[in-house]
Amino acid sequence: MFSLEEFIELASSAYQHLYDFVYLRKHPLTGALDPETAASDKERGWQLHNLLLDLIKELYPGPHAPPYSKAWRRHQLMMLRYVDGLEPQQVADQLAVSRRQYYREHGAAIEAIASILWNSYQEKGDEATRTLLQDEIDRIDRHEAYANLNQVVEGVVSLLSVTLAERHIQLDVQIPHSIPLVIIGHNLLRQVLLGVLGFLIEDLNQTRLALQATMTNGEIHLDIRAEPDLALSPDLVAGRIEPFQKMLHLRKAGLGALEADRQVVGFRLKLPGDQRASVLVVDDNEDMLALYDRYLTANHYQVLRANSGEVAIEMAIQLQPSLVILDLMMPDQDGWEVLRSLSTNPATGHIPILICSVLKQRELALTLGATAFLEKPVTEAGLLAVLDTLEHE
């Protein structure tokens, strides 16, 4: 039996090696949390990896938690460090804390997660740990709708970069920028890609992996192959990809094996794509968001909604909408700050920005980076006229 103090040390060491799948196979937590499982060592390592990521999300304090409160900061710290893969100093800079405070908050977060693990170990055993992943899939499925495939792949490659370099594996990624948004959550898609790529590279050395995305009848196909071809047993593959197939099924997506001569030579993800032009609407007024939604949806636009500047900037970077509609008068971070941030950021500077405001400051808005200006109240005809002009410029 482990003590709580030992669980804290075990959790800390597991997070230090979160993306070292060989190390996780033999980690003491794999046996402590699921001692009777029939899973192989490789599968146990992946189960522990997924569980550790899920537990970070268990720290989420909810949408109403004050920004920069202790609970909010600890969750953000763990997300930035272990999900986004930032270094400690980068995380400290993002959270505007000292390096010393970063380590204090990190230790507190590890203790909180270890307590969750300890309670599971003491009271629920196998059943609790097996249900954590399913609960998190349900939660992600409810709150995330779209993902930018290029950005998801970039993030996954970054997280696996050390392992790829150690094994001398080169990646050839071919995802056209014309590929539309994927109608599946960013985090859920990332988990699947991490699982599939992690499975492939476990036994590969000095080879090349090719990822190629194409559109077929409105569906995105992402093929993953090793060159030269690998040859895996279909029975082995079926058991390993089943959890990811279940994840994707929640969003009407699919994962299958590519076969040749009765051997698996790669994988194909079939992802639903949204081919409509996407418009990110930024307004703190829920009635205005609903109005824009009604106008735009009826005219075959895909509507993305943000009720704060911080959320809008994050969504614009991640989802790369075709257009941003921005209100100027918002609490916390006003529209002027958001306009400056979006127009000067290399990741979003190319996205047209339509300012919709009661403020009669057209010239100032255009000078500061806006593409067009529309005075409120906004009518459907007026909005569509501006959008039509922007599409033809």
Side-chain angles (χ1 to χ4, degrees):
M1 292 286 290
F2 291 107
S3 67
L4 175 57
E5 290 72 22
E6 288 171 324
F7 251 74
I8 293 172
E9 292 181 6
L10 291 173
S12 179
S13 66
Y15 277 109
Q16 289 175 21
H17 299 85
L18 184 60
Y19 293 97
D20 186 343
F21 303 107
V22 175
Y23 176 89
L24 291 181
R25 294 177 194 174
K26 300 296 184 182
H27 195 279
L29 282 180
T30 59
L33 295 173
D34 204 0
E36 298 178 5
T37 183
S40 67
D41 285 345
K42 289 183 180 180
E43 289 169 333
R44 283 190 173 199
W46 269 104
Q47 288 170 356
L48 179 56
H49 169 84
N50 288 331
L51 177 60
L52 293 171
L53 288 175
D54 295 336
L55 288 168
I56 292 175
K57 299 186 182 78
E58 290 292 314
L59 298 181
Y60 180 55
H64 301 298
Y68 295 98
S69 62
K70 285 186 177 180
W72 179 94
R73 190 164 54 237
R74 287 172 185 174
H75 173 254
Q76 285 294 306
L77 182 149
M78 296 296 283
M79 289 289 291
L80 292 170
R81 179 70 181 98
Y82 297 108
V83 177
D84 293 339
L86 300 187
E87 294 298 323
Q89 188 59 57
Q90 293 175 301
V91 177
D93 293 341
Q94 287 265 8
L95 298 178
V97 299
S98 66
R99 187 72 172 262
R100 183 176 181 181
Q101 186 175 358
Y102 162 84
Y103 284 113
R104 284 201 303 267
E105 297 286 359
H106 181 271
I110 293 292
E111 289 182 12
I113 286 174
S115 296
I116 297 173
L117 287 171
W118 170 255
N119 290 334
S120 172
Y121 175 63
Q122 288 288 88
E123 301 172 7
K124 298 181 180 179
D126 298 345
E127 186 63 26
T129 55
R130 280 195 295 268
T131 58
L132 278 174
L133 180 58
Q134 184 61 49
D135 290 344
E136 189 54 39
I137 292 171
D138 293 340
R139 190 155 50 247
I140 292 174
D141 189 55
R142 285 196 303 269
H143 296 297
E144 292 187 336
Y146 302 97
N148 181 305
L149 183 57
N150 262 303
Q151 292 199 349
V152 173
V153 170
E154 287 175 6
V156 169
V157 171
S158 175
L159 289 172
L160 295 176
S161 59
V162 174
T163 302
L164 292 169
E166 289 175 348
R167 296 175 178 271
H168 305 286
I169 298 173
Q170 294 183 341
L171 278 182
D172 178 16
V173 179
Q174 298 182 35
I175 303 177
H177 288 289
S178 58
I179 292 291
L181 292 177
V182 179
I183 309 175
I184 182 173
H186 180 97
N187 288 337
L188 185 55
L189 181 56
R190 176 170 52 188
Q191 282 293 94
V192 171
L193 282 175
L194 271 171
V196 173
L197 286 174
F199 171 50
L200 281 176
I201 67 179
E202 281 179 349
D203 298 311
L204 291 178
N205 279 288
Q206 296 183 336
T207 189
R208 179 172 168 269
L209 277 177
L211 282 73
Q212 183 174 23
T214 56
M215 286 294 298
T216 304
N217 298 323
E219 187 175 62
I220 301 169
H221 288 181
L222 179 63
D223 289 354
I224 306 172
R225 291 176 178 267
E227 298 179 2
D229 286 346
L230 72 166
L232 300 173
S233 162
D235 291 337
L236 169 66
V237 169
R240 292 296 301 273
I241 68 174
E242 182 183 6
F244 306 117
Q245 290 173 322
K246 291 180 178 179
M247 292 180 187
L248 290 172
H249 180 71
L250 293 171
R251 296 298 291 181
K252 299 180 179 179
L255 169 63
L258 299 173
E259 295 190 15
D261 299 326
R262 299 183 179 181
Q263 294 290 305
V264 174
V265 296
F267 296 96
R268 171 171 291 169
L269 279 79
K270 295 183 177 181
L271 308 169
D274 193 333
Q275 295 180 284
R276 298 172 297 166
S278 58
V279 179
L280 174 59
V281 181
V282 189
D283 201 305
D284 64 307
N285 187 320
E286 290 294 331
D287 292 335
M288 284 302 302
L289 288 174
L291 182 68
Y292 286 124
D293 200 313
R294 187 167 69 251
Y295 288 169
L296 294 167
T297 302
N299 289 277
H300 309 292
Y301 287 94
Q302 173 203 345
V303 180
L304 309 169
R305 297 165 56 153
N307 59 10
S308 73
E310 182 180 4
V311 171
I313 293 169
E314 182 178 344
M315 290 180 67
I317 293 172
Q318 185 179 92
L319 299 179
Q320 295 291 298
S322 305
L323 172 72
V324 175
I325 296 178
L326 176 63
D327 181 35
L328 291 176
M329 298 180 65
M330 294 188 296
D332 300 326
Q333 190 172 18
D334 67 23
W336 296 114
E337 295 179 34
V338 178
L339 173 61
R340 178 174 57 82
S341 179
L342 291 177
S343 61
T344 58
N345 188 329
T348 55
H350 63 284
I351 302 173
I353 301 173
L354 168 60
I355 298 294
C356 291
S357 177
V358 296
L359 300 176
K360 301 179 187 297
Q361 295 185 296
R362 175 189 300 271
E363 294 305 320
L364 179 59
L366 297 178
T367 300
L368 294 180
T371 312
F373 185 95
L374 187 60
E375 189 175 324
K376 289 183 177 180
V378 175
T379 65
E380 183 174 359
L383 177 60
L384 294 177
V386 174
L387 295 184
D388 184 65
T389 299
L390 292 176
E391 286 179 2
H392 289 88
E393 285 184 351

